[in-house]
Amino acid sequence: MTITIDGTRTARAVRARVAAEVARLTAAGTVPGLATILVGDDPASAVYVAAQRRAVREAGMRDLHRHLPADTPQRQVAAVVDGFAADPAASGILLQLPLPPHLSAADLIDRIPVAKDVDGLTTGSAGLLARGARGLRPCTPIGIVKLLDAEGVAIRGAHVAVVGWGGLVGRPLAQLLLHRGATVTVAHEHTADLGAVTRPADVVVAATGVRGLIGPEHVKPGATVVDVGIHRTPEGLRGDARTDELGGVAGRITPVPGGVGPMTTAMLLANTLRAAERNPRPDAVPA
Amino acid sequence: MTITIDGTRTARAVRARVAAEVARLTAAGTVPGLATILVGDDPASAVYVAAQRRAVREAGMRDLHRHLPADTPQRQVAAVVDGFAADPAASGILLQLPLPPHLSAADLIDRIPVAKDVDGLTTGSAGLLARGARGLRPCTPIGIVKLLDAEGVAIRGAHVAVVGWGGLVGRPLAQLLLHRGATVTVAHEHTADLGAVTRPADVVVAATGVRGLIGPEHVKPGATVVDVGIHRTPEGLRGDARTDELGGVAGRITPVPGGVGPMTTAMLLANTLRAAERNPRPDAVPA
């Protein structure tokens, strides 16, 4: 029997705790706020940002937003980032990726102050994670760790195979898991024999962007499979794992949709709350 | 037959190339300089810093040095770091670790400008490495990669087990190897069955600080063993690997001494040269 991990339920619990804390902070004079910046008209990005903004409002936070035309020059996008950086109403800043190709994403991301970097993607935040120092961490990786914790899947001492080494998920996740005491194997497109390195693992995380890459030939019976992929298909959303084939092999598996996705949104709210708690508004007064 | 990797020879070649480039830069008006800061009287640290300073002078670089008493307060050490940060004669700054326990190493390291961070240990440098962006990398890890390259040991597509996840070697090395296309497994004190995760590997790097930890039960026949340990024993220097027992099992092995150690010094010089090339003295004039 393969257990389907319910990411929606755990995400709901996280969001409820965040909303309660937001209410407390607001009563004390600090309203947490998230600033989202969307450049251009990528449909997937528009859907994602709209969903985050809705969640922000539902949590009782301030929803700040700027939508810029696709041809906005670098210095104007930079000025918008700088404006939110200086704005005490913006506890956190999310610059939606990907950006149009004429823009330098790395330079724009690094204009976000580390204290407002709720996506955890600046060089400063990456360095704090590498050093194991306090800081804001990327949302999907901390959502995965939270989900494993909520399901009672052991991390310390476990062998976790992270398949995919992208900047948004694989890289930071590998480090988070190591800080939690997991033995970690990172595999990727250059890995010669993927099954050989994932079959020994207690947990297999698929964050490759390749639909249906992970099947029973990659997974030890009873292992946990975390599927980070999101692919739109005529049959609906699908992930990086062949979920049907893994039934009866994997011990637990996150579904797509309803697994990792909802956790990403929940952790974005949690990060915004953390940022607000560390940077209370100058006019905040104790309740 | 197990081949003993000659780190001294490769280090000598690196140092000769650095010295030639230093001579060229000096003729062009920029003399590269390394500032070393030693706090207290730890004998191993004193020996290490003296060796680095000698190598700096032999490479034709300027040897800047401050030795501070063990009870120097934080703000005074900080002032020395800041002084070298502002001094154009100091292309690079090395703050020797460990520091006396009353000092905050993390805070002092982060006063070193990223452009002068020849040890690659600041939060900024760690973030640049995590992102795969240009920057100075820690000396021992890049020395290991250089040594593997010099020996013709393939990295791309190879499976490398990094045993030990310390901030000086294991953490940055794992990322360097991933950027080079290796499949990487990181093991450490919480790893349940070390042999099970190291035996599949083509390269095993031991950076644990545990003398003689790695033996034939951990190594696939023909694999390369890189020994980063340095332990003083009545019989002389020993490493983290049981070199005698690995003879005939490992394909190649780095000796202790004469393996990784000389590469660390060579890469410190190479980093100082790189820092000088990027930050030429304001008074530099073309030759």
Side-chain angles (χ1 to χ4, degrees):
Chain A
M1 245 292 284
T2 298
I3 296 169
T4 300
I5 293 176
D6 189 345
T8 305
R9 186 187 58 193
T10 300
R12 198 183 298 125
V14 171
R15 289 171 64 166
R17 282 200 296 275
V18 168
E21 187 63 16
V22 166
R24 198 193 61 73
L25 262 189
T26 301
T30 296
V31 185
L34 177 66
T36 49
I37 305 169
L38 176 63
V39 186
D41 301 294
D42 178 67
S45 287
V47 167
Y48 179 81
V49 169
Q52 309 311 304
R53 294 180 60 196
R54 200 161 48 240
V56 160
R57 293 190 299 268
E58 286 173 9
M61 296 180 181
R62 193 170 280 143
D63 166 31
L64 305 165
H65 179 65
R66 283 293 296 278
H67 185 187
L68 303 171
D71 60 354
T72 308
Q74 177 92 7
R75 66 187 156 68
Q76 280 185 27
V77 183
V80 171
V81 174
D82 293 351
F84 284 132
D87 182 355
S91 316
I93 301 172
L94 184 154
L95 178 64
Q96 177 65 19
L97 303 178
L99 292 169
H102 70 284
L103 296 172
S104 162
D107 289 351
L108 290 168
I109 287 170
D110 273 341
R111 299 186 86 92
I112 300 172
V114 166
K116 295 189 174 189
D117 179 23
V118 291
D119 242 359
L121 296 180
T122 61
T123 303
S125 294
L128 292 171
L129 170 55
R131 293 187 58 174
R134 281 173 69 93
L136 294 164
R137 313 298 195 208
C139 300
T140 300
I142 56 173
I144 290 169
V145 170
K146 193 102 186 165
L147 199 49
L148 292 173
D149 284 344
E151 292 291 316
V153 177
I155 294 177
R156 190 186 195 87
H159 187 179
V160 183
V162 176
V163 187
W165 198 58
L168 298 180
V169 183
R171 291 183 199 190
L173 178 61
Q175 295 196 62
L176 282 170
L177 293 167
L178 281 160
H179 284 299
R180 285 285 302 273
T183 301
V184 174
T185 296
V186 180
H188 43 66
E189 55 189 338
H190 300 300
T191 298
D193 182 348
L194 183 58
V197 296
T198 58
R199 273 193 303 271
D202 305 303
V203 179
V204 177
V205 181
T208 67
V210 181
R211 180 184 166 192
L213 179 70
I214 301 296
E217 69 276 24
H218 300 103
V219 176
K220 174 171 74 178
T224 297
V225 176
V226 177
D227 190 347
V228 186
I230 300 183
H231 308 272
R232 279 160 222 286
T233 80
E235 299 81 38
L237 290 183
R238 291 292 183 272
D240 290 358
R242 280 170 266 136
T243 308
D244 295 352
E245 297 178 30
L246 283 162
V249 177
R252 296 168 191 270
I253 190 165
T254 65
V256 177
V260 171
M263 291 303 295
T264 298
T265 303
M267 300 322 287
L268 175 65
L269 301 177
N271 270 353
T272 305
L273 172 64
R274 277 189 67 200
E277 286 172 333
R278 292 204 200 160
N279 305 290
R281 297 199 45 184
D283 56 340
V285 290
Chain B
M1 247 292 286
T2 298
I3 296 170
T4 299
I5 294 176
D6 189 346
T8 305
R9 186 187 57 191
T10 300
R12 198 182 299 126
V14 171
R15 287 170 65 167
R17 281 199 297 275
V18 169
E21 188 63 16
V22 167
R24 198 194 60 75
L25 263 188
T26 300
T30 295
V31 186
L34 177 66
T36 50
I37 305 169
L38 176 63
V39 186
D41 302 294
D42 179 66
S45 288
V47 167
Y48 179 80
V49 169
Q52 310 311 304
R53 295 179 62 196
R54 199 161 46 238
V56 160
R57 291 191 300 267
E58 286 172 9
M61 297 182 182
R62 194 170 277 144
D63 167 30
L64 305 164
H65 178 65
R66 282 294 296 276
H67 185 188
L68 303 170
D71 60 354
T72 308
Q74 177 92 8
R75 67 188 154 67
Q76 280 185 25
V77 183
V80 170
V81 174
D82 293 352
F84 284 131
D87 182 356
S91 316
I93 301 172
L94 184 154
L95 177 63
Q96 176 63 20
L97 303 177
L99 291 168
H102 70 284
L103 296 173
S104 162
D107 289 352
L108 290 169
I109 287 169
D110 273 342
R111 298 186 87 91
I112 299 172
V114 166
K116 295 189 175 192
D117 180 23
V118 289
D119 241 0
L121 297 179
T122 62
T123 302
S125 295
L128 292 171
L129 171 55
R131 291 186 61 175
R134 280 173 70 93
L136 294 164
R137 313 300 194 206
C139 300
T140 300
I142 54 173
I144 291 168
V145 170
K146 193 103 184 164
L147 199 49
L148 292 173
D149 285 344
E151 292 290 316
V153 176
I155 294 177
R156 192 184 194 88
H159 187 180
V160 183
V162 176
V163 187
W165 198 57
L168 298 181
V169 183
R171 292 183 198 189
L173 178 61
Q175 295 196 63
L176 282 171
L177 293 168
L178 282 160
H179 283 298
R180 284 286 302 274
T183 302
V184 174
T185 295
V186 180
H188 42 65
E189 55 190 337
H190 300 301
T191 298
D193 184 347
L194 183 58
V197 297
T198 57
R199 272 192 303 270
D202 305 303
V203 180
V204 177
V205 181
T208 67
V210 180
R211 181 184 164 189
L213 179 70
I214 301 298
E217 69 275 25
H218 299 102
V219 175
K220 174 171 72 176
T224 297
V225 176
V226 177
D227 190 348
V228 186
I230 300 184
H231 308 272
R232 278 163 222 285
T233 79
E235 298 82 37
L237 291 182
R238 292 291 183 274
D240 289 359
R242 280 171 267 136
T243 308
D244 294 352
E245 297 179 31
L246 283 162
V249 177
R252 296 168 191 268
I253 189 165
T254 65
V256 176
V260 172
M263 291 302 296
T264 299
T265 302
M267 300 321 288
L268 176 64
L269 301 178
N271 271 352
T272 304
L273 172 64
R274 278 190 66 199
E277 285 172 334
R278 291 205 201 159
N279 305 289
R281 298 199 45 184
D283 56 341
V285 289

